[in-house]
Amino acid sequence: MRESLKQIKSSFPHADLFEFRCDLIRKPDVSSLMRAAKRPCIITYRTVQEGGKYSGSRDELLAHLLTASFLGAHYVDIERRLGLRFLHEFVRRRGDTRVILSRHMCGVPRDVNRVYKDLDVAEADVLKVAYRATGASDIMFAKEFLSLAKKRKRRAMGIAMGEYGEATRVLYRIWGGWATFASSNGGIESAEGQLPVRTMKNIFRADTLNASTRIFGVTGNPLSQSKGIFLHNPLFRQSKTNAVYCRFPVKDVRKFMKKVAPQLSGWSVTIPHKETIIQYLSSLDRTAKEIGAVNTVIRRGKGFRGTNTDAPGALDAIEQVRRVKGKTMLILGAGGAARAIAFEANKRGARVLVANRTERKAQSLARGLKLSAIPWKDIRNVQFDFLVNATSVGMAPKTNAAPITTIPLRGKIVFDAVYNPRDTMLLRQAKRSGARVISGMEMYINQAALQSKYYIGKLPSKATIRRILE
Ligand code: ATR
């Protein structure tokens, strides 16, 4: 009870409605909870059978719910599995309390019509379905459920639990849902995948979205490190764009393209899908085609067009310090990042040299773009103006490493594509030996600004992005 009252206080400014999971509170005092909430409340005793902790008898449960009703609860949650007799008994004896009729499932049910019909009982004021999502396309069940309810003018909630279901918690209004659940600030979640109410309101502004809100997002796996939601949502807000940016963790790109992509206006693509996505797009711009990797997708008519803002983002960051035309750039690495930077630097007139720990890969990259590859052990003997780290060395959590350590860098310009941490070991060493250094963070900011231009139609200033990220 003490913890509950604390959580009410901390989420008070953000919540329009409180749900009290009485099955998770030792000796719940419904009257004190409702008094503290000063808002409409839902009283819930989730049973063990539906993933909660309540294990008392049905008669006891009915007594708890009726007590809550007499104390003035606006809503109680009644599980459909308790049967219609239970529901009728409650309704016959209740005060003004309304009923949320709910069903909680482990997996995604096959037949949405059947699930809907089962819940569409006259005595229910709100129909709620919650299930566990294990893939991105599982969110579509919630949308279909909500659209059935909307057609029949019923209030409903459709929630996919777990990280794969996050979007259903955010997009509910766009799909006609009645309400969503969030965890209290700093409190623990009562269901897997719940977002803190502060994030829900201040970042996603979930309560202000509507049927004409355009949906954007980021696809990849994992997405725990992705900063996109914290950047693009505030940019939408500042530019007064009716749009939202969600996380869509994706395992199966084909399924995602078939089921989820048709709902989206565009999205960012991150590891490991930057190359896989290409086969599902209707067109690519020149940069994406040449690099063979896409980090941004935009809807074009019925299809989708892929582009790549990583490459220009990196070169813009470097050219903020000095133009690369006619200069020599040594790129370390031969993966996707190296390829993007090598392509763009070459396009802007730099003389590009590629070196990689596995020499064969450097040679193959160089051959494709008609550049020169040099053996890793010969790096010391090469003359260059720009040094670019496009390997993953130095990236968190292994921050105490640099791809090269004993090369003289005085007077050179050193760029590290690694942006976490901002000050990599390579950059720290380079600075000490008198080089000009550019952080990967600058590339991140540039590529995000270019992405935002595709989403919003206007390039945000870097100062704005910096302010938001800080
Ligand atoms: P990305 O798409 O981000 O470029 P990647 O394709 O996995 O990621 O490429 C990682 C790059 O970092 C590769 O060039 C890799 O070298 P190998 O081709 O020899 O694997 C490089 N890399 C990773 N760890 C390294 C290390 N300890 N020393 C040197 N290079 C390393």
Side-chain angles (χ1 to χ4, degrees):
M1 279 299 295
R2 210 177 310 129
E3 179 59 27
S4 303
L5 293 169
K6 218 163 80 194
Q7 291 192 17
I8 294 173
K9 227 180 192 167
S10 70
S11 41
F12 198 72
H14 308 287
D16 305 303
L17 181 72
F18 281 96
E19 178 187 49
F20 296 118
R21 281 287 300 274
C22 294
D23 58 300
L24 300 177
I25 304 172
R26 201 183 307 134
K27 295 208 189 116
D29 173 355
V30 171
S31 169
S32 309
L33 291 171
M34 292 199 313
R35 212 173 324 117
K38 297 191 206 120
R39 302 254 195 287
C41 297
I42 306 171
I43 301 299
T44 302
Y45 290 81
R46 179 77 53 244
T47 65
V48 171
Q49 289 87 340
E50 300 229 349
K53 288 257 160 52
Y54 185 77
S55 57
S57 72
R58 277 164 176 253
D59 288 347
E60 271 171 342
L61 179 54
L62 185 61
H64 285 316
L65 295 177
L66 286 169
T67 306
S69 177
F70 293 133
L71 289 170
H74 286 70
Y75 299 92
V76 294
D77 180 299
I78 295 183
E79 292 167 8
R80 177 65 182 85
R81 55 167 285 282
L82 292 165
L84 291 181
R85 267 183 48 201
F86 186 96
L87 174 65
H88 292 153
E89 189 65 15
F90 174 80
V91 167
R92 194 170 62 77
R93 294 161 65 185
R94 69 174 165 187
D96 294 330
T97 307
R98 296 177 172 193
V99 172
I100 298 174
L101 193 61
S102 67
R103 196 170 156 192
H104 302 77
M105 292 158 291
C106 294
V108 192
R110 238 185 259 138
D111 189 346
V112 67
N113 286 295
R114 214 160 106 191
V115 172
Y116 179 81
K117 230 159 116 191
D118 193 41
L119 282 168
D120 190 7
V121 176
E123 287 87 345
D125 299 283
V126 183
L127 321 179
K128 176 190 171 189
V129 63
Y131 57 95
R132 197 163 189 290
T134 52
S137 56
D138 289 350
I139 63 172
M140 297 314 292
F141 181 90
K143 179 179 188 277
E144 285 158 21
F145 179 81
L146 293 177
S147 99
L148 287 174
K150 201 168 148 196
K151 260 191 230 142
R152 291 160 180 78
K153 299 201 164 43
R154 304 290 319 256
R155 289 172 161 183
M157 293 188 269
I159 291 156
M161 291 179 286
E163 61 164 330
Y164 288 98
E166 185 175 279
T168 64
R169 298 183 180 277
V170 176
L171 304 177
Y172 72 107
R173 282 224 167 193
I174 300 177
W175 294 342
W178 174 67
T180 193
F181 293 93
S183 62
S184 62
N185 283 331
I188 45 165
E189 40 188 53
S190 59
E192 201 197 339
Q194 262 178 13
L195 293 159
V197 64
R198 195 196 293 247
T199 308
M200 202 68 123
K201 281 229 161 167
N202 297 351
I203 298 296
F204 291 112
R205 293 178 300 139
D207 55 326
T208 68
L209 310 182
N210 54 45
S212 27
T213 303
R214 288 187 300 148
I215 306 171
F216 293 89
V218 53
T219 65
N221 210 344
L223 288 178
S224 43
Q225 294 293 317
S226 169
K227 292 195 237 292
I229 59 165
F230 301 107
L231 179 61
H232 289 289
N233 285 307
L235 287 172
F236 290 153
R237 176 185 223 153
Q238 284 189 356
S239 59
K240 299 200 167 57
T241 306
N242 185 8
V244 65
Y245 187 97
C246 288
R247 287 183 285 221
F248 299 99
V250 169
K251 282 183 296 195
D252 183 336
V253 180
R254 192 184 61 84
K255 249 181 165 170
F256 169 83
M257 288 306 294
K258 193 163 162 228
K259 300 267 182 78
V260 185
Q263 315 298 318
L264 309 184
S265 298
W267 66 92
S268 317
V269 185
T270 174
I271 290 163
H273 303 315
K274 288 187 179 187
E275 282 128 36
T276 334
I277 190 86
I278 290 176
Q279 58 187 298
Y280 301 100
L281 303 175
S282 38
S283 64
L284 295 181
D285 73 358
R286 184 175 159 228
T287 310
K289 205 179 289 170
E290 298 267 359
I291 298 168
V294 158
N295 82 329
T296 312
V297 176
I298 317 117
R299 175 183 289 282
R300 277 286 158 83
K302 280 203 179 111
F304 291 104
R305 184 171 175 80
T307 176
N308 192 311
T309 66
D310 285 335
L315 263 292
D316 286 353
I318 293 168
E319 293 206 309
Q320 272 160 22
V321 174
R322 191 172 303 158
R323 298 286 296 275
V324 299
K325 191 166 179 186
K327 301 279 191 301
T328 302
M329 178 182 288
L330 171 61
I331 298 179
L332 308 177
R339 191 176 168 78
I341 295 169
F343 164 78
E344 188 71 19
N346 185 45
K347 190 173 122 193
R348 297 191 190 193
R351 179 174 160 257
V352 179
L353 309 171
V354 188
N356 192 48
R357 181 180 61 178
T358 313
E359 197 177 332
R360 175 180 49 78
K361 284 208 247 166
Q363 283 165 348
S364 135
L365 193 164
R367 215 175 309 120
L369 294 173
K370 300 196 175 60
L371 314 169
S372 315
I374 55 162
W376 189 258
K377 60 175 178 14
D378 293 346
I379 291 174
R380 285 190 62 83
N381 312 321
V382 177
Q383 294 295 319
F384 58 87
D385 307 291
F386 294 85
L387 176 72
V388 169
N389 174 35
T391 75
S392 47
V393 183
M395 193 187 296
K398 286 191 191 157
T399 54
N400 221 355
I404 48 163
T405 43
T406 50
I407 294 186
L409 291 171
R410 170 168 294 283
K412 313 281 187 210
I413 293 171
V414 180
F415 168 70
D416 199 334
V418 170
Y419 66 81
N420 179 21
R422 197 181 279 238
D423 246 340
T424 59
M425 187 161 161
L426 172 68
L427 293 186
R428 290 200 308 271
Q429 287 178 347
K431 209 185 297 176
R432 248 182 274 128
S433 56
R436 289 280 298 271
V437 302
I438 307 158
S439 157
M441 203 55 190
E442 296 302 311
M443 166 181 173
Y444 178 80
I445 290 172
N446 290 337
Q447 66 78 25
L450 291 167
Q451 261 180 350
S452 186
K453 186 172 176 220
Y454 283 113
Y455 299 158
I456 297 174
K458 219 174 85 205
L459 192 69
S461 80
K462 283 184 198 138
T464 304
I465 294 186
R466 246 181 224 121
R467 203 165 341 113
I468 293 171
L469 288 176
E470 268 157 26

